[in-house]
Amino acid sequence: MTCEKCRELFVDARYGELGVVDGAAFKEHLSSCTACASDYERMQRTLEIMDRRLRSEPGEAFWASYWENLHSKMESEKETSPLRTHSPKMIRFRPALIPAWAYGVAAVLLVALGIYLGRSFLVRQAPDTGRRANVSIVGTGADSAFASRQAVERQSDEYLERSKVLLIGLVNAPAGVSSTSNLARQQHISRELIRQADYLKTTLKERDQQHLRQLIGDLEVVLMQLANYSVENGVPLVELVKQGVDKKSILLKINVEQIRALGSRPGPAAKTPKNNEKSKI
Amino acid sequence: MDAFRQLVESSKTKVYWIAYDLTGDRRDAEDLSQDVFIKVFHSLDGFRGDAKWSTWLYRITVNACLDYLKSPARKTMQLKNQTASEGLPAIVEPHEPLTPDRITESRMIQVNIERALDRLSPQERSVFVLRHYHDLPLKQIADTLSVAEGTVKSYLFRAIHRLQEELGFYRNEFGEKP
């Protein structure tokens, strides 16, 4: 037997799959060739190391509830995708007497009907809607100024709440939990908030709205860091956001602002200009 | 359904251990073993009976595991687990007293063995675990993976050679003369 042939038989020999003839020739070659004997020995040692591998047993509870879990998985799968089952009754839900083309015709008719109804009713009603909108905008000068101030403040409240939720979620996320899709979503939200911040900063012009404008400006810096964050930066995102938030005490300021808003701005049941004037005094 | 239940009960441990050996993760193996039986249930009509039942079951198991190993979900989980020591099996070696050094050493061996297995290609790993840990004859492995027996032998040879390279530093410790 040549060394090459002998090496080809290493695997069969190790796992007892050598025939009698090959087995005898293999043993004979190993006894006369130290190089092959040494290589075979090395392979044996490696496999002995592999035999020391320990494997994790699942808990007893896993085996005890194995069938129940499997059965419930299969049931829930059946509910979510009824067509996957092989029951012919489930697949033949279309009555055999109606030809397939009839469904296509019905769909076209439905679309046409929808377009007709839309053109007939919605287009005619549009001018009325516009008129009503104009009436509400015109109003009296004081009313409209108050209404727009209220709207901006409501938007600011929502803006602060959204930012707060985003930042708290980020700062409190356990290490390693944030995934790429999470990051992409958080960056998308922060970009939206940055756009909104631009608008709010130009709209919050009153003197008593200065602190709110300042807070939105501070938040914008942190949100920009988040929006432009890249994994390649090296600094973990959570650390970056934490630094920004802590430096300007942003969460504290948002809480203060929310408490202030609760105390000074009229609630939904008391949204009248008079009440608002009183609260300012 | 009763017949299917019997079938599950009789093969669930085998399926679990193959899934475990292919993924190296207990939780993955638990989930995959159940997914395998769901697949089996849906494909029972396709079982022609010209292969052994066990070969057919192992084929579904190996394919499910290989699909999972290729999936992006698995890659993400792998990244997360790289730093976690959780998931390593408990050290149970009753023949030797468990000193802190022994525990550390044993853990290191486990880590290195798993790492060496991870370095194998999916095909090499499948062939190796089916032969070495599940004692399947080469012919049955060939049927399971739908490849020629010679190909299986070649994968097995390459797998062992690569394990030899990965675990070379342990060989002296286990008795080989330098």
Side-chain angles (χ1 to χ4, degrees):
Chain A
M1 182 181 276
T2 61
C3 289
E4 196 185 347
K5 176 71 184 163
C6 177
R7 278 156 209 269
E8 275 175 21
L9 297 176
F10 272 11
V11 167
D12 303 73
R14 169 59 178 77
Y15 291 110
E17 292 201 24
L18 274 185
V20 182
V21 179
D22 277 345
F26 181 78
K27 272 184 190 167
E28 199 185 319
H29 182 82
L30 278 198
S31 60
S32 61
C33 176
T34 49
C36 286
S38 154
D39 283 352
Y40 186 65
E41 180 67 13
R42 193 178 301 145
M43 187 184 89
Q44 297 267 51
R45 297 275 178 224
T46 303
L47 294 174
E48 277 168 25
I49 298 169
M50 294 310 287
D51 285 337
R52 296 186 56 159
R53 179 173 182 242
L54 300 173
R55 306 191 297 182
S56 285
E57 294 261 4
E60 272 181 29
F62 173 70
W63 291 128
S65 58
Y66 194 88
W67 172 253
E68 283 69 28
N69 289 341
L70 177 64
H71 193 250
S72 63
K73 262 189 193 179
M74 286 164 69
E75 286 298 316
S76 65
E77 209 189 45
K78 213 187 283 177
E79 279 163 22
T80 51
S81 57
L83 289 181
R84 215 183 142 176
T85 59
H86 295 294
S87 159
K89 280 178 198 160
M90 298 296 282
I91 296 169
R92 282 177 61 89
F93 60 90
R94 180 170 60 84
L97 292 174
I98 303 173
W101 59 262
Y103 288 92
V105 172
V108 171
L109 284 175
L110 268 176
V111 171
L113 182 67
I115 292 169
Y116 170 74
L117 288 175
R119 284 193 175 168
S120 314
F121 294 97
L122 295 179
V123 174
R124 274 183 217 155
Q125 280 172 11
D128 291 340
T129 322
R131 218 176 298 142
R132 244 180 266 134
N134 285 340
V135 169
S136 70
I137 288 168
V138 174
T140 64
D143 276 359
S144 87
F146 172 71
S148 70
R149 184 190 161 98
Q150 250 195 338
V152 172
E153 284 180 347
R154 199 171 48 246
Q155 284 168 356
S156 307
D157 290 347
E158 283 167 7
Y159 175 86
L160 292 182
E161 184 58 27
R162 252 186 113 188
S163 308
K164 188 174 146 183
V165 170
L166 177 71
L167 295 179
I168 287 178
L170 256 167
V171 170
N172 292 331
V177 161
S178 115
S179 65
T180 320
S181 63
N182 265 351
L183 176 63
R185 191 175 147 65
Q186 285 157 347
Q187 288 185 316
H188 177 73
I189 296 171
S190 52
R191 276 185 214 110
E192 266 180 29
L193 288 168
I194 291 166
R195 276 197 291 276
Q196 208 180 337
D198 258 340
Y199 164 75
L200 289 173
K201 279 196 306 184
T202 51
T203 323
L204 293 165
K205 287 176 187 157
E206 304 293 325
R207 255 185 107 173
D208 61 344
Q209 292 172 328
Q210 202 178 345
H211 56 275
L212 194 53
R213 196 166 55 240
Q214 177 66 43
L215 175 55
I216 289 173
D218 290 347
L219 257 172
E220 202 180 9
V221 175
V222 179
L223 292 171
M224 274 183 173
Q225 282 180 319
L226 171 57
N228 296 322
Y229 177 81
S230 153
V231 183
E232 288 81 18
N233 284 355
V235 184
L237 177 62
V238 175
E239 284 310 309
L240 196 74
V241 173
K242 259 186 194 166
Q243 278 171 16
V245 168
D246 289 348
K247 202 172 164 189
K248 303 258 181 187
S249 310
I250 283 178
L251 289 176
L252 176 70
K253 282 183 192 167
I254 293 178
N255 284 340
V256 170
E257 185 52 42
Q258 286 177 331
I259 293 166
R260 191 184 288 158
L262 276 176
S264 66
R265 289 178 211 152
K271 280 184 180 171
T272 63
K274 279 183 184 176
N275 281 348
N276 191 50
E277 291 305 316
K278 273 181 201 166
S279 68
K280 266 196 238 169
I281 298 162
Chain B
M1 205 45 130
D2 274 352
F4 182 64
R5 184 176 184 169
Q6 274 180 8
L7 199 145
V8 170
E9 295 295 346
S10 64
S11 347
K12 63 185 183 187
T13 47
K14 194 77 185 167
V15 169
Y16 167 82
W17 286 117
I18 291 179
Y20 180 86
D21 288 333
L22 287 175
T23 59
D25 186 279
R26 181 168 64 85
R27 285 179 201 284
D28 288 347
E30 287 175 2
D31 289 344
L32 280 164
S33 78
Q34 298 227 322
D35 292 347
V36 164
F37 283 114
I38 293 175
K39 281 188 179 137
V40 166
F41 182 73
H42 288 304
S43 345
L44 272 174
D45 290 346
F47 177 55
R48 296 189 303 274
D50 49 2
K52 270 167 74 178
W53 153 252
S54 58
T55 302
W56 187 69
L57 178 65
Y58 299 158
R59 185 181 300 155
I60 292 179
T61 308
V62 171
N63 285 341
C65 293
L66 295 188
D67 286 346
Y68 175 67
L69 290 172
K70 276 188 273 179
S71 71
R74 156 75 180 182
K75 281 172 187 156
T76 317
M77 290 302 292
Q78 230 178 356
L79 280 175
K80 279 186 195 171
N81 290 338
Q82 268 173 358
T83 50
S85 59
E86 191 205 0
L88 284 174
I91 306 297
V92 186
E93 289 183 277
H95 54 284
E96 290 182 58
L98 283 177
T99 61
D101 281 353
R102 283 284 313 142
I103 292 174
T104 311
E105 185 203 328
S106 199
R107 270 210 186 285
M108 282 313 294
I109 292 176
Q110 296 311 313
V111 168
N112 287 319
I113 289 175
E114 291 305 326
R115 196 173 291 162
L117 279 172
D118 281 342
R119 297 274 158 84
L120 303 182
S121 74
Q123 290 81 2
E124 288 165 358
R125 184 171 180 150
S126 309
V127 169
F128 179 75
V129 300
L130 289 176
R131 179 59 267 196
H132 193 75
Y133 294 120
H134 296 273
D135 213 21
L136 256 60
L138 296 177
K139 170 81 177 72
Q140 194 179 356
I141 298 175
D143 291 344
T144 301
L145 303 180
S146 309
V147 293
E149 203 177 326
T151 312
V152 169
K153 221 182 265 188
S154 146
Y155 277 136
L156 186 56
F157 189 82
R158 285 213 303 257
I160 295 173
H161 187 71
R162 191 165 296 195
L163 292 173
Q164 241 169 256
E165 284 172 358
E166 295 292 332
L167 299 169
F169 55 95
Y170 276 121
R171 281 199 306 271
N172 290 342
E173 198 180 322
F174 288 101
E176 184 179 300
K177 286 167 194 155

